[in-house]
Amino acid sequence: QAAGVAFSFNPYVWNSRIDPEAGMLRIVFGVGTRAVDRSDDDYTRVVALNAPLCRPESSRDEVRQYAQRRVDVLDLDANQLTPTSFEEVVKRCPGIPLEMFASRDMELERRLRHERFAQNGVFSQVLTFDHLLTKTNFVADMRQMLEILKTAYDYPVDVEWTLNALDETTYKINVVQCRPFQVRQSGDVVVMPADIPSERVLIETRGPVIGKSLRTSLDYVIYVCPGVYGELPVGDRYEVARIIGEVIHLPELIDLRQMLVGPGRWGTTTPSLGVPATFAEIRPVSVLCELVMMRENLIPDVSLGTHFFNEMVENDMLYLALFPQRDGSVLNRQFLEEVWPNRLGDVLPAAAEWSHAIRVLDARDLTDGAPLLSANVLDQHVVCWRAPETGLQVGEDGL
């Protein structure tokens, strides 16, 4: 009934209570494909194994909104893997020990109690996995399993697993796959810059941030204009992804520090959710930023445990998501889209017609200060700004 991935080291420390050495899980209800592929706009449960109830979501409303709603099941009649609503699965499979995986949304029930058909028509179960995480030995078992495997490999591990519940308290865990996990430690503590003039800030976010704390200069920013991209037909969105891959791999750019910024989810297989670039196309970039601007109700799943995320971590890429409407977040669209010259036509003349959607921004064009990026992963804070020339050279991972 459940499956997922597990890491013996947690590279996503969104709270000071989290111990990275304790490991983490990404868990889904049903077949585990949703834990490893970015297939749609659904969500999964992320668990820090030393603090299983410490969630990235900040409120009960967010817990409800970003809970898993679709389940991958094997349809034996159609002979295929089929995404099915959680509610439909529950109705068709009455033997599921539902209490182990889901929690009743009491607030929703209270709100609808006096409405017509509320007692008969409201499905209030939310996939929180709280009972499994707190009322069984599951967390302790997973920590022990990861520790045994890490010791045997003499290296951090990445495990795919399944869980079959025998009743409301007992279960069987199967290891499906195990491999070394090329983990990158969070790095030294970076002191974030203070009192930056607002007009010099290009991007600022308070999380989620994944990767290694660092302070570095940037050579290029490749920016996909959210307003333009959101109006493109599907075929053109694939073309945007291909062009970005070409630009990133240009001989004169591939070894430089590049930051990639775009709306929605990078690496998605669904262009309506983001830019459908493959990881091979964006592998050389140093920083990957997802803008939460594709749709009002679409939040970028940070993809912990997906194959795409594994590639990001193993390639020492810094990941950040930016919510423009949140306090403390900044996206200087005017500077990125209008002031900073676009060099797409210069570096890739054949793609010049796409300059309205893709902007290739060269740090050498900023005569009043080069772009610097500071990231403190523990504090979940990143700022990219135009630093006045001071004579101080900041290289890759310079602190």
Side-chain angles (χ1 to χ4, degrees), residues 41 72 74 98 103 203 211 275 280 344 352:
D41 60 349
D72 282 353
L74 292 173
L98 193 59
S103 305
I203 288 175
V275 183
L344 177 61

Side-chain angles (χ1 to χ4, degrees), residues 105-264:
D105 188 340
M106 305 304 292
E107 182 179 338
L108 176 64
E109 291 183 7
R110 282 195 299 270
R111 192 162 62 239
L112 299 178
R113 184 169 296 150
H114 302 296
E115 295 187 13
R116 188 166 55 172
F117 308 125
Q119 297 302 318
N120 298 322
V122 175
F123 182 76
S124 64
Q125 297 287 350
V126 178
L127 279 167
T128 63
F129 303 95
D130 286 351
H131 183 97
L132 177 67
L133 297 172
T134 61
K135 304 296 184 182
T136 74
N137 292 325
F138 174 68
V139 169
D141 289 342
M142 292 300 293
R143 291 189 67 170
Q144 182 181 16
M145 183 182 78
L146 289 170
E147 184 62 32
I148 291 171
L149 290 168
K150 182 179 72 171
T151 301
Y153 275 67
D154 194 25
Y155 206 82
V157 291
D158 160 12
V159 178
E160 296 183 15
W161 53 273
T162 65
L163 180 144
N164 292 292
L166 306 178
D167 54 42
E168 293 181 6
T169 59
T170 57
Y171 48 81
K172 181 178 181 179
I173 299 171
N174 289 283
V175 176
V176 178
Q177 174 180 295
C178 182
R179 67 170 184 163
F181 180 43
Q182 305 294 329
V183 67
R184 298 293 190 273
Q185 303 291 336
S186 60
D188 295 326
V189 174
V190 172
V191 178
M192 300 299 289
D195 302 322
I196 303 174
S198 58
E199 66 274 9
R200 287 192 164 270
V201 177
L202 302 175
I203 288 175
E204 185 168 9
T205 180
R206 300 286 177 169
V209 180
I210 305 167
K212 182 168 63 176
S213 296
L214 56 83
R215 187 183 185 202
T216 185
S217 58
L218 297 172
D219 297 308
Y220 278 89
V221 176
I222 300 172
Y223 176 83
V224 179
C225 299
V228 176
Y229 186 81
E231 299 298 324
L232 293 178
V234 170
D236 287 355
R237 296 185 183 196
Y238 282 106
E239 184 65 19
V240 165
R242 303 295 84 80
I243 292 171
I244 288 173
E246 288 187 57
V247 170
I248 290 171
H249 284 82
L250 289 170
E252 61 270 33
L253 269 69
I254 193 169
D255 293 326
L256 299 178
R257 290 180 292 272
Q258 304 179 54
M259 179 177 182
L260 186 56
V261 184

